[in-house]
Amino acid sequence: MDPCRTPKCRGGIGTSSMKRKTPACETLLDVCLSLPKTHLPTLLVSSATIVLLIAAKELNSFLSTKLLVPLPVELIIIVAATLISSTAHLNNNYSVSVVGEIPNGLSAPTVPNMSLFGEVIGDAFALAIVGYAVSISLGKTFALKHGYKVDSNQELVALGLSNAVGGFFQCFSVCSSMSRSLIQETTGGKTQMAGVASALVVLVTILKLGMLFQELPKAVLASIVIVNMKGMFKQYSDVYTLWRRSKIDLVVWLVTWVSTMLLNLDLGLAASIVFALFTVTFRTQMPTYSVLGNVPGTELYVDIETHREARVVPGVTIFRSSATVYFANAELYLEALKEKSGLDISKMIIYKRRQEAKQRRRERRAERRAKRQAKREKRAQKAATQHAEPPEFSVEEEEAGGWRDTHIDMAAAEKEEHSWTERENGTVFVIPATPRMPDGCSRWEYLKGGDPDTSSFGWMSELQDGDTTTLGSSSEDTLSRDLEQVSLGSLGKWTWDIHSIILDLSTANFIDTVGIQTLKNIFRDFSEIDVDIYICGCQACVVEQLVLGDFFSETIRKQHLFVSVHDAVLHCLSHRGAALLPRYDPTLALQSGTKF
């Protein structure tokens, strides 16, 4: 993080000093443009140092079982390079850049200048975020390598206290150094004592030994840093590993690398964090929806698509999502539930309401017919009263007039009944008898016309969706019952086999207001087609959020909540089913040897 850590001479390539924050790509471009100006003596020093370092490290690795302590290669090279530089006068004779004068002593503590607060607050905030990110990432990298745990909160407090104290001594911001950490790790430092020893050496060097390293070539320091970053360069091999394991993680890795190269470390890190959060949201948009089945002889419920031993519970659909239900995927959750259960709620509700409207129209027509019939009876009674005192006319004329009145009344009644029968015979229904087969065909049962008391279902040939037949004449009550029976079946689903749906929310760790409203809508819509909804596996925090969100009411009670899927299944079967699942038998489970 210290701008002084970026040397102006990189392996003999002189670059311009940049006071502003420069993206890494611009620094790399500057290095490439400066290649023709390479200083050969400095390049020779760098090359020799790199070769010696690599050879010494390989020798350390080869003799690691025989050496009690690894050889301090870096320290030996620094001392040797300093002696050679001061003896050969590399700076004066060959213009090799050296460290130069190192100030001795420590600055006296002073109160920070608060007038600069407004000018540096923005950069200070970015520096703090980036510094903490670098420190914690390095800490976790070494923790995974050596098998220990890093406390993120403790690291943050340590960085904060260090920077607060260092602010009184005009220090640079404290942050983990990638190069120095790698050097310490490769030289065998594993505990805090290594850090203490390193700090003491730095302190003694600042106070007394600074003048001894004035002739140390900067190229030697740069070479030590580059060689010890070999482990970081090896992380480029992670691209191949991520490609095989997770494409999304690979994209995050590439976006982080590109944004850091193009936008500098602070903006690149912010862009990569935003992109990573976007991928998390994207993953919640594509969860795995599954229907669970029971493993015979156990109380286990697993996905029927991935476990061949699982069996569907008759009349019960157990639905589970691999992600929690919230505003971003609530609509997708509802659509997946419709697809997995085989119940298209929207079409079913529309169809049911249409049938209810037809039933109301039939009732109104029946009421009008009853009124007309009452009027005819009233006219007949009035005519009978008039016939009690017959007028004086011939018998032939009386019989002809009576026959004419009776013929007119009967003709009107027959015409009305014929019109009603024609309207009723225009209704079309199709009832599936078996679920859809893999070849796309289903066996269908058709309601055949005939006597209302002897209406039956007959087997027909293999038909496709959209094939229809017409109901025959029947009385109004029988037709009403038929409509009630086939109102769901006419949509092409075997809906009467499903009487309960269990929503497994064991994967949900929270639920927002949109998710609560979605569950309310599920309870309301499925209740209209006489399908019971139950919830199971909710964590305590989710139940609390349901209570606070006014989820429970007179129609949705806490009796719809169950601890486990098995408890909900037993309730459904005892409430709506004819038989219970077999009880769990450990010996049966061991003998069956179910494989997952």
Side-chain angles (χ1 to χ4, degrees), residues 402-548:
W403 179 85
R404 187 167 51 251
D405 294 339
T406 304
H407 179 71
I408 292 173
D409 292 339
M410 293 181 64
E414 290 179 358
K415 182 177 180 180
E416 181 180 359
E417 291 296 333
H418 181 69
S419 175
W420 162 248
T421 302
E422 286 183 350
R423 287 194 297 268
E424 294 296 347
N425 287 340
T427 307
V428 179
F429 300 94
V430 180
I431 305 173
T434 60
R436 183 180 302 277
M437 305 300 292
D439 57 0
C441 299
S442 301
R443 292 192 60 84
W444 299 79
E445 290 181 348
Y446 281 69
L447 184 61
K448 295 185 177 181
D451 187 82
D453 296 331
T454 60
S455 297
S456 62
F457 295 93
W459 285 103
M460 303 298 289
S461 60
E462 297 287 336
L463 297 175
Q464 302 293 330
D465 289 346
D467 297 329
T468 59
T469 188
T470 305
L471 286 174
S473 301
S474 62
S475 65
E476 187 170 341
D477 294 337
T478 304
L479 181 60
S480 177
R481 289 195 299 270
D482 293 339
L483 289 174
E484 183 66 24
Q485 180 182 2
V486 302
S487 60
L488 304 181
S490 63
L491 298 177
K493 305 292 181 182
W494 45 96
T495 57
W496 50 85
D497 289 337
I498 300 176
H499 55 72
S500 301
I501 294 179
I502 300 174
L503 304 179
D504 183 5
L505 298 183
S506 58
T507 58
N509 56 357
F510 75 94
I511 187 168
D512 60 359
T513 55
V514 178
I516 293 175
Q517 187 60 43
T518 300
L519 293 180
K520 286 184 177 180
N521 294 339
I522 291 174
F523 272 84
R524 182 197 62 199
D525 294 342
F526 280 90
S527 65
E528 291 196 24
I529 61 172
D530 198 25
V531 175
D532 297 333
I533 302 294
Y534 299 95
I535 298 176
C536 68
C538 292
Q539 302 181 25
C541 59
V542 176
V543 176
E544 183 179 357
Q545 291 168 1
L546 291 175
V547 174
L548 295 177

Side-chain angles (χ1 to χ4, degrees), residues 291-313:
V291 175
L292 307 184
N294 176 254
V295 178
T298 69
E299 297 181 3
L300 300 177
Y301 293 84
V302 294
D303 188 357
I304 60 176
E305 295 182 359
T306 57
H307 298 80
R308 293 176 297 177
E309 296 84 357
R311 297 292 180 266
V312 177
V313 181

